[in-house]
Amino acid sequence: MEVFLSLLLATIFYLLSLLHCYWVGGGKWGFEAALPTKESGERIMNPRKIDSAIVGLGLFAFGSLYLLHSGIVPINLPSWVWRIGSWIVPGIFLLRAIGEFRYVGFFKKVRNTPFGQRDTKYYAPLCLGIGIIGLVIAWM
């Protein structure tokens, strides 16, 4: 079960990393939908390509952490990397699911924007799922 869950998270992180790389390369699909906006439609964030690249690399690193933990790739991580990463990664995604109480997460106030609706339906649940699966793996 631990191997399956680790591979599931690795796959999710690699796909999200690829999406960010696509945006770095100039792709437009999904970019606007992934950015929170005020009720007026004004973006809250205006990420540059370097910002997407950094997030993409981070997601790739998270995917690699879980891929290596699965044992499919025969490279042993130092035990401290797994001990720390196995709690930090789920923590990041659980905090993202909770949100910042205005535009992002389950407890956001601004819900009637296109992003707010997608966040409630897709993004926050995905982050919650990643966080819970990550904690399950950490406790195994």
Side-chain angles (χ1 to χ4, degrees):
M1 181 62 110
E2 188 173 359
V3 171
F4 171 77
L5 293 175
S6 294
L7 290 174
L8 176 64
L9 284 186
T11 302
I12 291 169
F13 284 130
Y14 286 145
L15 290 173
L16 292 172
S17 177
L18 281 173
L19 181 60
H20 282 77
C21 290
Y22 167 74
W23 292 335
V24 169
K28 302 290 184 210
W29 180 84
F31 184 75
E32 292 293 328
L35 298 172
T37 61
K38 296 180 181 179
E39 290 169 317
S40 65
E42 179 186 349
R43 279 195 215 161
I44 303 302
M45 301 172 3
N46 289 301
R48 299 167 294 156
K49 288 186 179 191
I50 188 71
D51 301 324
S52 290
I54 291 168
V55 172
L57 287 172
L59 291 167
F60 184 84
F62 294 165
S64 297
L65 177 74
Y66 284 101
L67 179 65
L68 294 175
H69 181 69
S70 75
I72 298 294
V73 177
I75 298 174
N76 290 325
L77 289 174
S79 62
W80 66 268
V81 172
W82 175 248
R83 271 195 321 268
I84 293 170
S86 69
W87 294 102
I88 289 176
V89 174
I92 290 169
F93 284 88
L94 289 172
L95 288 173
R96 165 54 182 88
I98 292 167
E100 43 77 70
F101 302 107
R102 182 134 175 101
Y103 297 104
V104 175
F106 284 118
F107 300 104
K108 65 186 162 292
K109 288 184 175 70
V110 178
R111 296 179 174 273
N112 58 349
T113 63
F115 172 84
Q117 293 168 350
R118 285 185 206 94
D119 186 55
T120 299
K121 192 172 181 180
Y122 304 114
Y123 310 148
L126 176 63
C127 290
L128 179 63
I130 288 170
I132 289 171
I133 292 169
L135 289 178
V136 167
I137 294 168
W139 282 323
M140 290 182 136

